[in-house]
Amino acid sequence: MAGLKGKDILHGNQFSRKDIDGMIQIASDMEKELKKKDSLTLLKGKILATLFFEPSTRTRLSFETAMQRLGGGVISMASAEGSSAAKGETVGDTAKTVSQYADVIVIRHPRIGSAKEAADAASVPVINAGDGAGQHPTQALLDTYTIRKELGSLKNLTVSMVGDLKNGRTVHAFVELLSLYQARLYFVSPGNLRMPEEITSNLKQKGIWIEETEDLEKAASESALIYVTRIQKERFADLTEYERVKGSYVIDSKFLQRLKKKITILHPLPRVDEISLDVDSYPGAAYFRQVRNGVFVRMALLAMVMGRR
Ligand code: CP
């Protein structure tokens, strides 16, 4: 994982299995360290810039928490409206400018490819925190860490991915990591929100077993894990189409009773209506533990990118 020093983190396909196993070990070390003390000094004097041109709760705040727990400082732009992007400044010029202030940049933007544009212009490492419906690699890293903690192993899992697989950048990145561990993947979505063909054909070329279906119950009954995603209203050009598909899949306690087995449930969050509140107390409901893991994983990633691990 020393190989990540100075690197941009842009896409789930940039990691090897050795990278992921190394990251999991470092994140686990960070988690243990934080049980002993509130913060470390590993990145003392370093500055993280968070540039968020799209809303976020978890990704921005967990990156900022991670940097502060590592002893570093944070400068933050929480919306496009509050920056010179509102005056027409390009992503590239923004990244070049912020490189003069910060040692590492985390960026979220509504356009696919924008993080790469920022990385090409910046003189410090850039981490993609979500580029439109493209990729969200750090979410995939924390999802992977969560599976290792919840299930003990990543190898040969059967996973059902559920919801808006067309627009869900978290699933686009996550399948890249799961494919390194020979996962079997069910893609459960309404017909118009299927996983992009480019991604399914790439997985098939790698020899990964996949099945696309609209039947959640069948897929879940054969899976150890369901990864639920929100139908992404903000990506629909036609809101009547959104109204037609919203609420297509709802995980509730009745659904879990019908499964007649324990299953692990992850969700990158935020949720709208796809997981009922009555599921939160179910032992396999791991999505808020998943949120907490984001801090340890982002601590590990920042330390690695800054060459301190
Ligand atoms: N999972 C995730 O990306 O959440 P936020 O949109 O709140 O950052």
Side-chain angles (χ1 to χ4, degrees):
M1 212 61 178
L4 283 192
K5 181 181 175 185
K7 292 268 172 68
D8 302 312
I9 305 297
L10 300 177
H11 198 290
N13 69 6
Q14 77 184 82
F15 304 110
S16 68
R17 187 158 155 176
K18 195 172 159 209
D19 288 335
I20 304 303
D21 289 341
M23 182 279 302
I24 287 172
Q25 185 56 55
I26 295 167
S28 173
D29 293 344
M30 296 291 182
E31 183 170 358
K32 283 184 200 131
E33 287 291 308
L34 285 192
K35 285 195 176 121
K36 291 186 251 167
K37 44 191 160 187
D38 290 336
S39 62
L40 317 181
T41 54
L42 208 58
L43 294 187
K44 191 165 184 289
K46 298 291 182 191
I47 292 181
L48 163 71
T50 53
L51 308 182
F52 277 65
F53 297 87
E54 244 192 9
S56 168
T57 296
R58 280 146 290 273
T59 311
R60 187 168 71 84
L61 295 182
S62 64
F63 261 115
E64 294 182 2
T65 304
M67 191 57 165
Q68 295 194 39
R69 295 278 189 209
L70 288 165
V74 174
I75 55 174
S76 186
M77 198 195 82
S79 72
E81 295 73 35
S83 79
S84 286
K87 301 178 220 160
E89 187 164 53
T90 64
V91 168
D93 277 359
T94 303
K96 251 186 211 167
T97 300
V98 175
S99 298
Q100 311 308 313
Y101 310 140
D103 301 291
V104 55
I105 294 172
V106 172
I107 184 168
R108 171 172 291 184
H109 192 281
R111 190 163 38 78
I112 294 176
S114 51
K116 170 86 169 64
E117 265 173 52
D120 288 345
S123 54
V124 298
V126 169
I127 299 175
N128 180 5
D131 59 331
Q135 285 278 310
H136 193 349
T138 70
Q139 177 70 43
L141 291 171
L142 78 89
D143 297 339
T144 307
Y145 183 68
T146 302
I147 294 178
R148 178 68 76 83
K149 278 181 71 181
E150 295 288 326
L151 295 172
S153 170
L154 287 155
K155 286 178 205 141
N156 304 315
L157 276 182
T158 302
V159 176
S160 288
M161 299 200 164
V162 185
D164 187 348
L165 306 184
K166 177 183 173 196
N167 298 305
R169 58 195 173 200
T170 63
V171 286
H172 300 169
F174 193 27
V175 293
E176 298 284 354
L177 271 56
L178 286 174
S179 72
L180 298 172
Y181 296 87
Q182 287 78 47
R184 287 163 48 88
L185 301 172
Y186 280 104
F187 294 148
V188 185
S189 70
N192 61 342
L193 296 178
R194 286 169 66 177
M195 187 66 91
E197 202 277 328
E198 182 193 345
I199 294 179
T200 54
S201 60
N202 183 34
L203 289 167
K204 283 178 194 162
Q205 270 172 22
K206 289 186 196 168
I208 301 301
W209 183 94
I210 63 171
E211 185 172 313
E212 295 185 86
T213 177
E214 296 192 18
D215 186 345
L216 172 59
E217 211 154 317
K218 175 187 173 289
S221 71
E222 293 170 20
S223 299
L225 173 84
I226 44 177
Y227 190 93
V228 187
T229 64
R230 172 177 68 92
I231 308 280
Q232 304 213 352
K233 184 178 181 182
E234 67 274 27
R235 310 272 181 234
F236 281 73
D238 176 1
L239 280 185
T240 55
E241 192 54 26
Y242 168 74
E243 292 296 330
R244 198 178 66 74
V245 292
K246 75 172 188 189
S248 294
Y249 299 104
V250 176
I251 310 293
D252 56 17
S253 54
K254 283 190 189 130
F255 172 84
L256 293 171
Q257 276 161 19
R258 284 201 303 279
L259 274 188
K260 297 195 182 84
K261 66 166 192 174
K262 183 181 172 235
I263 195 159
T264 299
I265 306 166
L266 298 188
H267 190 313
L269 303 177
R271 71 175 148 186
V272 182
D273 54 6
E274 58 281 355
I275 300 182
S276 300
L277 293 180
D278 63 6
V279 174
D280 291 0
S281 56
Y282 175 73
Y287 31 92
F288 286 107
R289 297 192 287 277
Q290 187 183 357
V291 167
R292 181 156 180 76
N293 291 335
V295 174
F296 313 129
V297 167
R298 287 174 172 132
M299 285 175 76
L301 191 63
L302 288 170
M304 290 183 287
V305 166
M306 302 306 296
R308 299 290 170 91
R309 276 291 182 274

